[in-house]
Amino acid sequence: MLVYIMVMSGPDDGLVLKLQQPINPDNNVAVFSIGRRETCDVCIAFDTSVSRLHARLLISEDKKILLTDEDSRNGTFIGRQRIKEPTFIQAGELFRVGNTWLRIQSIEKD
């Protein structure tokens, strides 16, 4: 699965990240981690309000996107709404981790 995510704020504003993960055959999703930790798929090192492991994106074979907060201190938001439970989002929708806004540009099967 190929996913393109655009950073919409901060010093990396406008940067498009190309992420690739295989679909897990056990649950038919690709999982992408978001956080400050260098090992995260989306590393947001410049934003100290982002937790080391802040959130995850789970993307199914049929391109449905589930955003989960990983008990972060400063929350994960879709638009202005803080999410507490895993929540479906659409490609193109803005979401925020810490103080950083992100948007999924597109999803492609590889």
Side-chain angles (χ1 to χ4, degrees):
M1 185 75 60
L2 286 171
V3 178
Y4 295 88
I5 296 177
M6 180 178 272
V7 180
M8 303 295 292
S9 62
D12 289 340
D13 185 17
L15 177 69
V16 177
L17 305 170
K18 178 183 175 182
L19 308 175
Q20 186 170 10
Q21 282 289 358
I23 296 285
N24 182 325
D26 293 333
N27 58 10
N28 293 321
V29 297
V31 179
F32 299 91
S33 58
I34 302 170
R36 268 195 349 245
R37 197 177 283 151
E38 286 182 19
T39 57
C40 286
D41 299 302
V42 178
C43 178
I44 306 173
F46 62 83
D47 186 347
T48 58
S49 67
V50 173
S51 299
R52 287 178 291 235
L53 175 59
H54 197 102
R56 291 186 198 273
L57 289 168
L58 291 80
I59 304 177
S60 65
E61 280 188 295
D62 59 356
K63 300 181 183 180
K64 289 186 178 159
I65 309 161
L66 190 65
L67 178 63
T68 65
D69 182 77
E70 296 296 318
D71 295 323
S72 66
R73 179 179 300 184
N74 294 308
T76 301
F77 296 78
I78 298 173
R80 302 245 180 248
Q81 181 67 42
R82 186 173 185 159
I83 65 168
K84 304 229 184 224
E85 301 292 327
T87 305
F88 284 102
I89 64 170
Q90 302 292 321
E93 198 167 3
L94 289 174
F95 66 98
R96 179 168 60 92
V97 294
N99 291 319
T100 302
W101 287 95
L102 303 165
R103 181 175 64 202
I104 297 172
Q105 294 289 97
S106 64
I107 301 169
E108 302 171 9
K109 288 186 180 180
D110 49 355

